[in-house]
Amino acid sequence: MNGREGEECVKTEQCKEAAVVYMWGYIPGASPEKSPILSPSTVRLPDPSGVGDSWKDVCGGGCGFAMAISESGKLITWGSADDEGQSYLTSGKHGETPEPFPLPTEASVLKAAAGWAHCVSVTETGEVYTWGWKECIPSEKILCDLLIRGNFQKDTTGKQNSLANDQVSAKDQGSNLSGGPISQVDNKSMGDENGKRRKLSPAKQESESSTTGDDYFTISPCLVNLGAGVRITAVAAGGRHTLVLSDAGALLTFGWGLYGQCGQGSTNDQLRPTCVSSLLGTQVERVAAGLWHTLCITIEGCVYAFGGNQFGQLGTGADQAEDLPRLLDAPSLKSKHAKLVSCGARHSAVLTEDGQLFSWGWNKYGQLGLGDSTDRNEPSQVSIDGCRPKNVACGWWHTLLLAERPI
């Protein structure tokens, strides 16, 4: 909605609309009997202070939890289950009921994103905070890690599922972190991803195998220093990589590069924010990150995709990984101007300027919203009735939609 439309709605009673958040897919702590939510379900924002807070934006969430932002600028998390270990801690131990996540600042949160078990947020003052899986937190942070030694082991006794191991071993090899009926992903990705797991030197293997879980994990949000003169406008967190968008439209990436998800033309890891050189001269406006893949939208409304593609999550019509940004030229998006983009673990979604929603990729739990569980390797339109979509945000196994409906 632009300013002019907003003024007209103030003057006309029939234009009044209420912000509402819907969720579907699999969110352990919010799904009845830990089963997938197959159709959109309304998420209620509690207002214990009675100040009339409401939904402002959706941020998707990580592996087993959801994130959104309230009008008061609070980061809201929910949906985790106490038998999930690291995801439960990353979300602030918030289960079925959405609650504010404590950040070490009074500034309002503008944007936030989550990977498997790490999060990143941006405040109205331009501060960037990260927390969770340490390997995804850049070395440029200017506040020391406040590790939760002792507390982590106490809260996750018997539930850590070897945090020192790769994400793949915890998820793709069938460990039941959710504790519910959803315990494994399709075998389709297991061979490919296990074959591409990072090779460690004997010294590092010994070091990692002898290190406790809390050495890999930090709950306290850390402030990130991006360098003098750099102000960012957007962030996105993937499985183990992070994206940062500067106010000049430059895309910077850091973290794991296992499938080319950092867009640097290789599968090398990026240990500090690094500009994606192939997009220099192209103004990037929106960014999104999945488990192993990345999507971005340019100011012209074009969609670029790169990274892993085992379930068609890049939307290229194939399953080949891309280590450089590739322009998405799917027929369904022809003549469409992409406005918003989001990535789940292995699924993606785009909202166009004319209010149409498209999704593609992994769909085992109905996270594409297409009424079935069939994967798609090209964008497919999602039917939405009775509301006006404002934003879409994919979580690990779920999708959130912010919409407006008449009141």
Side-chain angles (χ1 to χ4, degrees), residues 224-277:
V224 177
N225 178 18
L226 295 175
V230 177
R231 185 175 178 86
I232 70 171
T233 59
V235 293
R240 288 187 178 179
H241 71 293
T242 301
L243 318 176
V244 172
L245 185 61
S246 76
D247 57 353
L251 177 61
L252 298 88
T253 62
F254 55 89
W256 272 36
L258 189 66
Y259 292 94
Q261 60 264 48
C262 287
Q264 304 293 340
S266 73
T267 57
N268 296 332
D269 298 346
Q270 303 298 318
L271 302 183
R272 61 183 60 193
T274 305
C275 184
V276 178
S277 58

Side-chain angles (χ1 to χ4, degrees), residues 42-110:
T42 304
V43 182
R44 187 179 66 87
L45 176 62
D47 186 23
S49 61
V51 297
D53 207 1
S54 59
W55 294 115
K56 181 179 181 181
D57 204 0
V58 288
C59 312
C63 181
F65 64 94
M67 298 172 66
I69 299 173
S70 71
E71 280 290 350
S72 64
K74 301 295 184 183
L75 178 63
I76 308 296
T77 60
W78 76 95
S80 67
D82 60 6
D83 57 358
E84 289 188 293
Q86 61 272 22
S87 295
Y88 181 60
L89 295 175
T90 303
S91 69
K93 303 181 182 180
H94 297 162
E96 182 178 1
T97 303
E99 298 181 54
F101 181 89
L103 288 171
T105 177
E106 294 298 320
S108 295
V109 174
L110 293 182

Side-chain angles (χ1 to χ4, degrees), residues 156-378:
T156 61
T157 301
K159 303 166 187 173
Q160 291 186 34
N161 290 291
S162 184
L163 289 182
N165 290 335
D166 192 324
Q167 149 80 23
V168 174
S169 66
K171 292 296 176 187
D172 295 348
Q173 293 185 12
S175 296
N176 186 5
L177 297 189
S178 69
I182 298 177
S183 59
Q184 298 186 20
V185 297
D186 292 341
N187 292 331
K188 182 177 180 181
S189 67
M190 290 176 62
D192 185 23
E193 294 191 355
N194 289 337
K196 291 190 178 182
R197 287 181 59 188
R198 169 183 287 179
K199 293 181 175 61
L200 302 178
S201 66
K204 186 166 184 180
Q205 287 178 336
E206 181 179 356
S207 172
E208 292 202 358
S209 64
S210 63
T211 307
T212 57
D214 57 330
D215 289 319
Y216 291 86
F217 202 75
T218 174
I219 282 297
S220 301
C222 298
L223 187 61
V224 177
N225 178 18
L226 295 175
V230 177
R231 185 175 178 86
I232 70 171
T233 59
V235 293
R240 288 187 178 179
H241 71 293
T242 301
L243 318 176
V244 172
L245 185 61
S246 76
D247 57 353
L251 177 61
L252 298 88
T253 62
F254 55 89
W256 272 36
L258 189 66
Y259 292 94
Q261 60 264 48
C262 287
Q264 304 293 340
S266 73
T267 57
N268 296 332
D269 298 346
Q270 303 298 318
L271 302 183
R272 61 183 60 193
T274 305
C275 184
V276 178
S277 58
S278 64
L279 289 177
L280 287 176
T282 301
Q283 187 171 350
V284 178
E285 193 170 47
R286 303 281 182 175
V287 293
L291 173 56
W292 305 126
H293 74 293
T294 301
L295 267 67
C296 61
I297 295 177
T298 68
I299 195 171
E300 293 86 9
C302 299
V303 181
Y304 285 86
F306 47 99
N309 197 24
Q310 301 88 342
F311 291 83
Q313 59 263 48
L314 296 187
T316 60
D319 60 3
Q320 179 181 351
E322 304 284 346
D323 58 21
L324 285 171
R326 174 173 171 176
L327 178 64
L328 197 59
D329 56 359
S332 57
L333 294 182
K334 186 177 181 180
S335 74
K336 295 291 183 182
H337 188 287
K339 180 181 179 182
L340 299 170
V341 63
S342 185
C343 298
R346 297 182 180 89
H347 73 287
S348 309
V350 160
L351 186 61
T352 62
E353 202 168 50
D354 58 0
Q356 292 185 328
L357 179 62
F358 295 85
S359 63
W360 61 95
W362 193 38
N363 194 33
K364 183 175 182 179
Y365 306 121
Q367 56 265 52
L368 299 187
L370 299 174
D372 57 41
S373 56
T374 303
D375 299 342
R376 307 291 201 282
N377 60 16
E378 290 188 346

Side-chain angles (χ1 to χ4, degrees), residues 379-400:
S380 300
Q381 186 173 354
V382 181
S383 297
I384 301 173
D385 298 319
C387 63
R388 182 164 57 134
K390 301 295 293 183
N391 194 11
V392 61
C394 302
W396 223 235
W397 307 308
H398 68 276
T399 302
L400 301 179

